[in-house]
Amino acid sequence: QVQESGGHLAQAGESLTLTCSASGCPSGGCARGWFRQTPGKRREWVAGLDWSSGRSYVDISVLGRFTFSKGDAANVAVLQMDKLKPEDTGVYFCAASARPRCGDCMESWEFQYWGKGIQVTVST
């Protein structure tokens, strides 16, 4: 199971933190990804995390503003979103892989388990 928490509402320039918890991961952990969807647009990849190496990847649209890393608790990953923009508004979905490693960690098919999504709204 994958569960998102955090987020919700912020003004432009502010920060929000999203947390992704996954259960049932193998001993090496579950690779993760964040995707977001806005009305009228296709779901887009935001960030990915190879659990084995700890290496993270973010889309160019959030580069320098978002960071994705392992949290302090087991199998918890944290998406730190700084300098938020109105275009960051959307429903954010966390996804987990059955494996600790992912390729470029940005393809939907790499992740087998998905959360229900959490709304993030950034106002001007």
Side-chain angles (χ1 to χ4, degrees), residues 27-79:
S27 59
C30 298
R32 304 295 162 82
W34 280 102
F35 297 78
R36 67 186 178 193
Q37 187 156 23
T38 55
K41 295 180 66 176
R42 297 181 62 180
R43 183 174 60 188
E44 60 180 1
W45 174 76
V46 176
L49 177 64
D50 183 304
W51 204 266
S52 179
S53 66
R55 182 172 297 179
S56 63
Y57 309 86
V58 297
D59 184 74
I60 191 170
S61 65
V62 303
L63 185 63
R65 302 188 296 118
F66 290 14
T67 56
F68 193 23
S69 60
K70 295 180 183 180
D72 293 332
N75 289 318
V76 171
V78 178
L79 181 68

Side-chain angles (χ1 to χ4, degrees), residues 95-109:
S97 170
R99 302 177 179 180
R101 307 206 67 170
C102 48
D104 53 12
C105 306
M106 62 185 297
E107 302 294 340
S108 297
W109 57 262

